[in-house]
Amino acid sequence: MTSNDPRASGCTGSTPFEEELVNAMNDFANSADAPAFDAAGIVRKSRRKRTTTAIAGFATALLLAGGGTALATAGSGGSGGQQPADPVDANIVLEGSTGKTDFKGLSLESAKEQLVELGLKPGTVKETRCHNLGKPDTIIGVSPHSPTAVPIGATINLLLCSD
């Protein structure tokens, strides 16, 4: 039987090709740079992440417990008085019309009369603290308001200043 080995059976040395291949593999294995490992940086990042998570959790707990108002007041300069979230608009634009009809400052009765004259229906009347946006017992807002055009016969809700 013959051996599959190309070398003679009594020869124990390597061929020049095998030696060159082994040397090339050793050179490659010894030349790879070891990855950098910044243990201190990793610890700082994990501490920062834990701190951020703790602060977010605390803020969420305050909001759920009803402390959101206190946080909002403290963040807004602590003025104490609540301001409406959106500025109110008391203008109505009828479909097919280019002008606006302003209801701001009208009494409730005058506003209802003007709505009927325009062919609109008075809707619900909501009273709110107006915080110097108007005089007490006057209209400070309507809904829907400009720039939305309302058709004849539409229902218009009124916002009345209560303080």
Side-chain angles (χ1 to χ4, degrees), residues 93-115:
V93 177
L94 288 173
E95 280 184 352
S97 153
T98 57
K100 296 178 183 178
T101 306
D102 189 10
F103 285 83
K104 188 167 187 161
L106 295 178
S107 69
L108 180 59
E109 294 306 315
S110 297
K112 285 183 177 181
E113 288 174 8
Q114 193 167 353
L115 284 172

Side-chain angles (χ1 to χ4, degrees), residues 49-119:
K49 210 179 274 187
R50 280 194 306 259
T51 303
T52 305
T53 304
I55 291 171
F58 181 71
T60 303
L62 274 178
L63 288 173
L64 291 176
T69 305
L71 283 175
T73 302
S76 66
S79 64
Q82 277 185 314
Q83 295 295 325
D86 296 326
V88 290
D89 189 353
N91 295 312
I92 293 178
V93 177
L94 288 173
E95 280 184 352
S97 153
T98 57
K100 296 178 183 178
T101 306
D102 189 10
F103 285 83
K104 188 167 187 161
L106 295 178
S107 69
L108 180 59
E109 294 306 315
S110 297
K112 285 183 177 181
E113 288 174 8
Q114 193 167 353
L115 284 172
V116 171
E117 287 175 12
L118 292 171

